């Protein structure tokens, strides 16, 4: 059974930082492209960042410089470091694993940026 379990979300003040984690099980982690997506209330789900096994990353243009995606294949975990957070970063953040037609999502973790 495949599971992607996100953690690390919460309430943070503007300008603060959070680090999200997504622990994967039931897949050969190193084969998968791992990604973070987010969905704000009333909006469509959007790409935040992706990372492949070799470490090549891709970011939404608007988030470059503030967010950093990384992975630890030994721990089957992908991370999202979020700095200089803004109220508009408030959303549910989802982890995604894709490979050869297989596509798995986590349940999401809420990030709220507010004073």
């Amino acid at each position: 059974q495949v599971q992607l379990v996100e953690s690390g979300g919460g309430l943070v003040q503007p300008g603060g930082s959070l680090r999200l984690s997504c622990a994967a099980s039931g897949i050969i982690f190193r084969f998968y492209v791992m990604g973070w997506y987010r969905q704000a209330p009333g909006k469509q789900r959007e790409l935040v960042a992706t990372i492949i096994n070799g470490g090549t990353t891709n970011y939404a243009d608007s988030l470059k410089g503030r967010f950093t995606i990384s992975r630890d294949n030994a721990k089957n975990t992908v991370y999202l470091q979020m700095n200089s957070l803004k109220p508009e970063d408030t959303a549910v953040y989802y982890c995604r694993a894709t490979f050869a037609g297989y596509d798995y999502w986590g349940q999401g973790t809420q990030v709220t940026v507010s004073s």
Side-chain angles (χ1 to χ4, degrees), residues 4-69:
L4 301 177
V5 180
E6 300 100 332
S7 61
L11 174 64
V12 62
Q13 291 187 341
S17 298
L18 280 177
R19 188 194 196 203
L20 305 183
S21 300
C22 171
S25 59
I27 61 173
I28 304 175
F29 184 78
R30 66 184 184 276
F31 288 175
Y32 281 73
V33 177
M34 300 301 298
W36 287 98
Y37 293 73
R38 68 184 185 182
Q39 187 166 18
K43 295 187 176 182
Q44 289 188 331
R45 194 171 297 188
E46 63 178 1
L47 169 73
V48 174
T50 61
I51 184 168
I52 66 172
N53 183 40
T56 300
T57 57
N58 178 55
Y59 293 92
D61 287 341
S62 62
L63 301 176
K64 288 179 181 177
R66 293 196 299 123
F67 287 17
T68 302
I69 190 171

